[in-house]
Amino acid sequence: DAGITQSPRHKVTETGTPVTLRCHQTENHRYMYWYRQDPGHGLRLIHYSYGVKDTDKGEVSDGYSVSRSKTEDFLLTLESATSSQTSVYFCAISDYMTGIGFEQYFGPGTRLTVT
Amino acid sequence: KNEVEQSPQNLTAQEGEFITINCSYSVGISALHWLQQHPGGGIVSLFMLSSGKKKHGRLIATINIQEKHSSLHITASHPRDSAVYICAVWERISGTYKYIFGTGTRLKVLA
C-alpha cells in the first residue's frame, strides 16, 4: 500500500470555526489531491498540487484553501466551516505515468461533521 | 447527464455468480480507472487501462474506446468482493488532465 496518512480521521466541529486537514505521504510523489465524497455525487476534486508551493483549484474549491510547503505534506483548510462542508475527505497522490495518465493512490479518508 | 455513468447502481449477487459492472462516458479520454471502495471507506486502485483488456486474479476489465464503454467483470464472486466499484476517466483538455468519477456501483455478494 502507498504510504499515505490523513489526520484527523474523524472530526466534529461547529459552524464558523476554522478546520485544517492534513495529508502526509512517504512516496515522494509529485502530485497530491484533495477530494470530497458525498452521497450521489461521487468523488469531486477540491484542490490539487503539482509540486511544492504549486497548487490549483478543482471543481468544488469555494470555501477551501490549500498549502504545500513540503513534498510530503498537503494541507486543506476550511477557513470558516459550514454545514455544507460535512463530508468525507480523501487525499490522493500520484506520479506521472507516461502516455496514459496518472494512477492515483488514496488515503484512508477523514470524516468531517460540521454542526 | 453525467459525463461518466455506471450501471447498475446497486447489485446483489449470490456467491459464485459472474458479475458485470458497466461504465459509459461521454468525453474523450486518455485512460480509464477502476477503483474499489471497501465498506470501511478505503479506496483501492484496481485497473488503469487505455485499450483492450486487463486481468488480475478474478477481475477482468475491458474497454472499447470507439463505443466509450468499459466493463468490470468478477468471476466466481465471493462475499469479500462486496464493495462499491467506481469508474473514473482521465480527460485531456489542452494539455491538462481532468479526472471525472462515476457515482459508483454498490455490489453485495451473498454467501
Side-chain angles (χ1 to χ4, degrees):
Chain A
D1 291 341
I4 312 168
T5 56
Q6 292 183 230
S7 58
R9 294 291 312 281
H10 301 271
K11 186 168 182 68
V12 179
T13 192
E14 292 184 348
T15 298
T17 59
V19 177
T20 295
L21 309 182
R22 179 183 184 234
C23 177
H24 179 78
Q25 61 145 330
T26 58
E27 305 297 319
N28 201 35
H29 280 3
R30 178 180 175 188
Y31 298 86
M32 298 185 76
Y33 311 81
W34 277 109
Y35 294 94
R36 59 179 290 175
Q37 186 178 39
D38 305 289
H41 284 280
L43 287 151
R44 291 181 292 174
L45 182 65
I46 305 171
H47 282 279
Y48 68 99
S49 169
Y50 47 97
V52 173
K53 299 193 189 306
D54 292 322
T55 64
D56 206 349
K57 296 179 180 180
E59 61 180 303
V60 290
S61 59
D62 288 347
Y64 301 95
S65 62
V66 290
S67 66
R68 191 168 177 201
S69 58
K70 297 185 288 185
T71 299
E72 57 267 34
D73 289 325
F74 192 33
L75 304 180
L76 177 71
T77 298
L78 290 65
E79 301 290 347
S80 178
T82 67
S83 59
S84 65
Q85 293 176 312
T86 293
S87 186
V88 180
Y89 291 85
F90 286 95
C91 173
I93 65 173
S94 72
D95 216 345
Y96 182 64
M97 293 177 69
T98 303
I100 65 168
F102 304 68
E103 183 160 8
Q104 296 195 357
Y105 303 94
F106 288 82
T110 294
R111 185 173 295 277
L112 176 66
T113 302
V114 183
T115 60
Chain B
K1 187 180 191 302
N2 293 333
E3 292 169 294
V4 178
E5 296 213 338
Q6 292 185 233
S7 63
Q9 288 187 316
N10 294 283
L11 180 58
T12 300
Q14 292 293 325
E15 183 174 359
E17 285 186 12
F18 180 84
I19 290 164
T20 296
I21 298 170
N22 297 298
C23 176
S24 296
Y25 51 92
S26 58
V27 297
I29 71 167
S30 60
L32 184 141
H33 203 176
W34 280 104
L35 303 152
Q36 179 193 53
Q37 186 166 24
H38 297 296
I43 299 173
V44 174
S45 174
L46 297 176
F47 296 103
M48 191 155 186
L49 64 166
S50 58
S51 64
K53 177 168 123 175
K54 285 192 175 181
K55 184 175 188 292
H56 186 260
R58 295 181 294 105
L59 300 177
I60 303 166
T62 64
I63 188 168
N64 185 317
I65 296 292
Q66 288 72 32
E67 295 184 4
K68 295 189 173 181
H69 181 269
S70 175
S71 293
L72 177 67
H73 305 286
I74 305 174
T75 62
S77 59
H78 189 275
R80 64 174 174 267
D81 297 325
S82 298
V84 176
Y85 292 85
I86 300 169
C87 166
V89 300
W90 277 110
E91 181 185 25
R92 185 167 184 170
I93 305 171
S94 301
T96 63
Y97 287 100
K98 183 179 176 185
Y99 201 25
I100 308 166
F101 293 84
T103 54
T105 293
R106 187 175 299 274
L107 171 66
K108 186 171 185 179
V109 181
L110 304 174

